Amino acid sequence: MSCTEITCELQATTVGVKKIRPQGKIIFRPGEVVEITCSEQAWLYGQKETSKLFKCQDNGQWDNEPLCKEIRCNVPRDQHVSRLQQYFREDMKLRAKQYYDCESGYRKMAEEATCTRDGWTPKPLCAEMTVSAKCGPPPQLNNADTIDMPKKEYDTGERVEYICFSKYTLNLQHPFTKYLTCQQGEWRGSVKCLEPCTVTKEIMDEKGIDLAYANDQKMFAPHNDHITFMCQRGKFQRIDIALRQKCNDGMMTLPECV
């Protein structure tokens, strides 16, 4: 008859582990302890702790599993997030960011949710809206202004209409509109003004081109409008780019003549 010494073996000592004390030891006798410290991206298996002492018991088992596990955030099922399965998965890692929307009657507390050691932040992701919530003056937008003089306070359901500055074009394609609406204390909606294109004499001289139908030293073309060019006298197109070019939100490809 032979006897086998009872020991506990320390396994998986590299994944997510920052430090082990005592270092280099993997076999422990009953009563001996080991301290495991996890890396910044991990915590101890089954526990949301990063460092702990583990004791080898008389039956050759650890009192808790001495393993580090990568930090991941669970699906926020109790956070009143709409279309939950579309936005969130069970395997989202630490520092992951995720866009989300809230259920009716709740408002977002941030543009994106962030996976942290304490779960998804902000906390809560969605806050209940109160019926009495009012909005302050509408926000100032780039290259746009409200049609009417803004008030100091707006009730839920009230909306303001915006108009773009001269030569800017209002984008009316979804999800953009010309309105912002007060909804339970915050302004909702998207307003965007598309930029015009500007052509100067200096730029045209660099490209070897002139305006085909005007002699202006500077010319604007609103979004979705066109400018037609021609090669300067004695010059020819170097690259096959159309002489009639369309403005796309401040961007326009200019032909070149040499």
Side-chain angles (χ1 to χ4, degrees):
M1 181 176 179
S2 61
C3 296
T4 302
E5 184 180 14
I6 296 176
T7 59
C8 298
E9 183 179 357
L10 190 63
Q11 300 177 345
T13 59
T14 57
V15 179
V17 176
K18 180 179 181 180
K19 184 171 60 177
I20 299 176
R21 292 196 307 176
Q23 185 176 358
K25 184 174 180 178
I26 61 172
I27 302 298
F28 293 80
R29 295 184 174 88
E32 293 185 323
V33 297
V34 61
E35 182 181 14
I36 304 291
T37 302
C38 299
S39 64
E40 295 180 357
Q41 288 77 36
W43 52 29
L44 292 164
Y45 181 78
Q47 308 165 61
K48 294 186 177 181
E49 299 179 56
T50 56
S51 184
K52 189 174 181 177
L53 292 173
F54 297 89
K55 185 176 182 180
C56 179
Q57 301 179 106
D58 292 338
N59 60 359
Q61 301 294 320
W62 295 102
D63 56 354
N64 285 288
E65 195 73 24
L67 295 174
C68 290
K69 182 181 179 182
E70 186 177 23
I71 297 174
R72 296 176 183 268
C73 288
N74 296 325
V75 176
R77 303 183 190 282
D78 58 346
Q79 290 284 319
H80 301 286
V81 175
S82 66
R83 293 174 289 172
L84 192 64
Q85 299 302 327
Q86 176 181 333
Y87 292 129
F88 293 92
R89 307 183 308 273
E90 292 283 2
D91 62 344
M92 301 190 79
K93 299 180 181 180
L94 182 69
R95 300 189 186 91
K97 294 184 179 294
Q98 180 59 52
Y99 176 83
Y100 69 101
D101 277 325
C102 296
E103 295 174 350
S104 177
Y106 292 83
R107 61 187 177 93
K108 294 173 62 172
M109 300 304 292
E111 190 63 27
E112 293 180 316
T114 304
C115 177
T116 71
R117 287 182 175 274
D118 297 322
W120 291 104
T121 60
K123 291 189 174 182
L125 294 176
C126 300
E128 188 172 7
M129 296 187 294
T130 59
V131 176
S132 60
K134 294 179 180 289
C135 297
Q140 293 183 344
L141 303 181
N142 290 334
N143 307 314
D145 201 356
T146 56
I147 288 181
D148 298 320
M149 183 71 67
K151 301 188 297 184
K152 292 183 179 180
E153 192 173 76
Y154 292 78
D155 293 322
T156 292
E158 285 191 278
R159 68 182 187 179
V160 293
E161 182 178 350
Y162 284 83
I163 187 172
C164 295
F165 294 160
S166 176
K167 296 186 172 61
Y168 285 78
T169 304
L170 193 65
N171 188 348
L172 295 178
Q173 291 187 341
H174 182 77
F176 300 104
T177 70
K178 59 182 177 180
Y179 300 104
L180 290 186
T181 304
C182 176
Q183 294 184 1
Q184 304 297 337
E186 66 178 31
W187 290 101
R188 297 286 185 88
S190 298
V191 176
K192 182 180 180 181
C193 293
L194 301 169
E195 297 186 17
C197 294
T198 303
V199 181
T200 65
K201 180 63 176 173
E202 290 75 17
I203 294 175
M204 290 192 294
D205 285 343
E206 289 180 8
K207 299 291 185 179
I209 56 178
D210 283 324
L211 299 173
Y213 303 116
N215 294 319
D216 296 336
Q217 295 301 301
K218 186 175 184 180
M219 183 173 179
F220 294 92
H223 168 76
N224 221 26
D225 201 354
H226 294 79
I227 298 179
T228 303
F229 302 92
M230 64 180 183
C231 290
Q232 293 177 352
R233 181 174 297 179
K235 294 186 178 182
F236 301 91
Q237 276 190 270
R238 187 178 69 178
I239 303 174
D240 187 18
I241 297 177
L243 291 173
R244 188 170 187 262
Q245 286 294 319
K246 184 178 181 180
C247 178
N248 183 16
D249 193 14
M251 304 295 293
M252 176 180 285
T253 301
L254 297 180
E256 293 186 42
C257 298
V258 294

